[in-house]
Amino acid sequence: MAVHGVHPDVGEGMTAMENPAAPVPTPPRTPAPGPAPAAAGSAQGTVRRLIVYTILFALVTIAAIGIAGLLERLLRLGDRLVVVDDTGLALSLAFALIGGPLAAVLWWAVWRRLREESERTSLAWGLYLAAMYTVSLIVAATALLNTATAGVEGRWLPDGFAVGVVWAGVWIWHRWMWRHPVKRPVRLGTVPAVAGSVYGLIIGVGGAVNALGSLFDTAIRGASAQAIAGSPWWRSAIEALIWAAVGGLMWWWHWYRDGTKRLNTGLAAVALVVVGVMGAGILMLGGIGTALFVGLRLAFDPSDASSEILRPLGTALAAVLVGAVVWIHHRRIAAERSDDTRRASALVMSAVGLAAAASGIGVVLNATLAALVGPLAASDTRTLLLGGISALVVGGPVWWLSWKPTRRVEPTEIAYTGRRVYLIAVFGVSAVVALIALLVVGFRLFEYFLDPVSGASLIDRVRAPLGLLVATALVFGYHFAVWRHDRAVIAAHGLAPERRIGRVILVAAGDAEALERAVRDATGASVTVWQRAVTEPGALTEAAPAALSDAAAVVGALEGVSAKRVLVIAGPGDRVEVVPLAE
């Protein structure tokens, strides 16, 4: 008996259950339908979500702009100096009264649909929430902080206050959705925490440097040097302190309360290394170099007034203090993370020191050539020379301590992918800069020989690009030689890249956070979790133990596997399947 509209395999199963003694019917000869409808539905769903969330983002932004405009007008009602702007009022009304309801209706439809697991695990939902969370946080914090600092100066900014209040509401709304126990995004779910901590750290560090710099500058140069147009010296310090306090609170909340400090995702590691280690290191070393430059000028180039020479010293000392605190904190965390993160933090500091040292070499050569065509006591030449010496003195030791060129490097470290990428990036960038500098030198030479009687001398024309050319050529030559030596060692020892797997796609049911962390720590690869669809009541219960308690079996199954992408299916039960994927 044929069962219309049912897959042949399903029909056989139903017949066997209804009558176990019945013979198994012969499958029809017509080919079974392939997976095209499912793939088409998945593609349609992806496009639908992309369009819906893009429209929702635009509508929320439009509604926020309109409401902020109306609130600003309410705050300005008592101001007689305000010029009536009917066009602006009409725009605000249109944005608020049309865009607002449309955004509410669309959000309600999206929110109800998020009951489905496929919606919560979609990339579009996580991307929308991360983008709107970050944008609303930045806009609200910036507007409210500008209003607060203007209040210290005795000015009232109703437009900034209105924008800050409205976008703060948008941020609170999206934070509630992000922290929702059921409908929060599965993919990109940690991006808001990372973005909030990075933004808070940036404005907090900037405010702290400005506040301490103002205090140090007042202590070094006196309050009279700080006063500008009758402004007291403490006003700028209080304004910067407000930014520092709010940024520090924002960073602390996302870093500790939201758990950014404990995240082991790729984005969290990049933010830790790039912002916490490299950014703070640049700030600290820049402050040290500036302070050293001021000291050298006071000792060897007192051509300007002492107050002018000491002008950047206060900010430099503040940068050293704040940058050192931030750098030590994040450097210690990076050292406790995976081996890749620890090595990456050392490599970025090596790059910072190398850039400073190479710049110092170029500037010193530039100043030396300038001394050949002018008096050595010339103020500009001497200042240039002292600046180059400061950069070289600061950058050289940092590069030496981070790179350690004299130590014996183990073959396993030579095969480390990050080291090879660092070498290629350094000699590649230096080669490009050297090529540009060479072209400039050639242009200056041809310009001089074609018209030697006009303009400066030949040395004055080529000294700046020639100094840059020599410095970058030295950097290129050294790192290219190291790279070739590493290649020879890898070939001689038959070493494979340390990271044999580039990306792991993990299919699991339930809470797979522990398994995800174990796979990432063992392989060093980026891990993407795909939640298994639950089609039967007992499916989740059966598959959960493999995802939660049998991490060692999954990690063991990945031993010896080498592929750019690997599919890992954990469960049901103790089943673990590893499938290397073709590139």
Side-chain angles (χ1 to χ4, degrees):
M1 177 179 178
V3 181
H4 297 286
V6 181
H7 193 278
D9 295 339
V10 178
E12 292 172 14
M14 293 176 62
T15 305
M17 287 187 293
E18 292 174 359
N19 186 6
V24 178
T26 304
R29 297 182 179 181
T30 56
S42 176
Q44 293 172 9
T46 301
V47 174
R48 173 187 57 79
R49 297 185 194 102
L50 181 62
I51 295 175
V52 166
Y53 285 115
T54 302
I55 296 175
L56 182 60
F57 187 94
L59 288 176
V60 171
T61 303
I62 290 171
I65 294 173
I67 296 173
L70 295 178
L71 180 58
E72 177 191 355
R73 290 180 176 274
L74 289 176
L75 295 174
R76 290 182 180 273
L77 284 179
D79 192 352
R80 298 181 179 179
L81 298 178
V82 175
V83 179
V84 178
D85 183 11
D86 293 335
T87 302
L89 178 59
L91 185 64
S92 297
L93 287 172
F95 278 16
L97 299 183
I98 298 178
L102 289 177
V105 171
L106 183 58
W107 171 82
W108 180 249
V110 168
W111 188 248
R112 292 186 61 185
R113 202 178 185 103
L114 285 172
R115 299 170 184 171
E116 305 173 10
E117 185 178 1
S118 60
E119 296 293 326
R120 296 194 301 272
T121 58
S122 67
L123 179 63
W125 169 230
L127 185 61
Y128 163 78
L129 200 56
M132 184 55 75
Y133 184 96
T134 305
V135 169
S136 59
L137 177 62
I138 293 174
V139 174
T142 304
L144 291 177
L145 285 170
N146 286 330
T147 305
T149 53
V152 175
E153 300 177 359
R155 296 184 294 113
W156 166 237
L157 299 179
D159 52 346
F161 180 76
V163 170
V165 169
V166 172
W167 280 97
V170 175
W171 173 73
I172 294 173
W173 173 32
H174 285 79
R175 180 176 175 82
W176 170 75
M177 290 190 287
W178 172 53
R179 304 293 293 179
H180 195 275
V182 177
K183 299 182 178 182
R184 60 186 179 185
V186 176
R187 303 176 68 179
L188 302 181
T190 59
V191 174
V194 176
S197 63
V198 168
Y199 179 66
L201 180 64
I202 291 174
I203 66 173
V205 168
V209 169
N210 290 332
L212 286 178
S214 179
L215 294 177
F216 289 156
D217 199 18
T218 302
I220 294 171
R221 301 168 62 214
S224 58
Q226 269 282 330
I228 300 175
S231 176
W233 65 270
W234 48 265
R235 180 172 294 172
S236 60
I238 292 180
E239 293 174 358
L241 191 60
I242 294 174
W243 283 82
V246 174
L249 177 62
M250 194 183 304
W251 170 80
W252 175 85
W253 188 272
H254 290 88
W255 188 252
Y256 289 102
R257 294 295 299 271
D258 291 336
T260 306
K261 180 181 179 180
R262 300 184 299 272
L263 291 178
N264 288 321
T265 62
L267 179 63
V270 170
L272 174 68
V273 173
V274 173
V275 180
V277 177
M278 187 176 71
I282 292 174
L283 180 66
M284 176 181 61
L285 296 179
I288 295 175
T290 304
L292 178 60
F293 174 66
V294 170
L296 291 175
R297 286 204 64 190
L298 289 174
F300 301 103
D301 186 24
S303 56
D304 296 330
S306 298
S307 59
E308 285 299 316
I309 297 177
L310 293 171
R311 181 183 294 274
L313 183 59
T315 303
L317 295 177
V320 173
L321 180 60
V322 176
V325 171
V326 175
W327 182 81
I328 291 173
H329 175 77
H330 290 87
R331 181 68 177 83
R332 185 177 67 251
I333 295 175
E336 297 171 355
R337 293 287 178 87
S338 63
D339 200 37
D340 287 352
T341 306
R342 179 184 58 80
R343 289 174 174 175
S345 62
L347 289 177
V348 295
M349 289 306 298
S350 173
V352 172
L354 178 64
S359 301
I361 293 174
V363 173
V364 168
L365 181 58
N366 183 3
T368 303
L369 293 175
L372 298 178
V373 294
L376 184 60
S379 176
D380 55 348
T381 303
R382 189 181 305 170
T383 303
L384 187 65
L385 178 62
L386 296 178
I389 292 175
S390 301
L392 182 59
V393 169
V394 172
V398 172
W399 174 77
W400 188 275
L401 295 175
S402 301
W403 182 250
K404 298 181 178 65
T406 58
R407 69 184 175 95
R408 182 180 179 274
V409 184
E410 297 296 330
T412 55
E413 185 175 350
I414 290 177
Y416 170 53
T417 305
R419 174 185 171 93
R420 292 183 287 121
V421 171
Y422 167 81
L423 289 171
I424 295 173
V426 169
F427 76 70
V429 172
S430 59
V432 173
V433 177
L435 177 60
I436 296 174
L438 180 61
L439 292 174
V440 175
V441 171
F443 166 73
R444 291 298 188 184
L445 288 174
F446 288 123
E447 183 185 40
Y448 174 77
F449 288 118
L450 291 175
D451 190 9
V453 296
S454 63
S457 64
L458 177 61
I459 295 179
D460 269 339
R461 292 172 186 264
V462 302
R463 60 186 176 90
L466 184 61
L468 185 62
L469 175 62
V470 172
T472 51
L474 291 175
V475 172
F476 169 81
Y478 171 78
H479 289 85
F480 184 73
V482 173
W483 176 72
R484 293 199 61 178
H485 173 266
D486 288 358
R487 286 190 62 188
V489 172
I490 292 174
H493 290 77
L495 297 174
E498 185 176 296
R499 178 177 293 182
R500 300 183 306 271
I501 301 175
R503 181 186 178 191
V504 174
I505 302 172
L506 176 62
V507 180
D511 186 4
E513 182 178 355
L515 179 57
E516 177 186 0
R517 187 184 308 112
V519 172
R520 182 183 296 110
D521 293 341
T523 63
S526 62
V527 181
T528 301
V529 177
W530 289 358
Q531 289 290 332
R532 183 191 300 271
V534 180
T535 56
E536 299 179 4
L540 180 59
T541 305
E542 184 181 8
L548 295 176
S549 60
D550 204 13
V554 177
V555 172
L558 288 170
E559 292 184 0
V561 178
S562 179
K564 186 176 181 180
R565 294 179 301 168
V566 176
L567 175 66
V568 178
I569 303 175
D574 297 332
R575 172 174 173 265
V576 178
E577 185 175 356
V578 176
V579 182
L581 303 177
E583 298 185 6

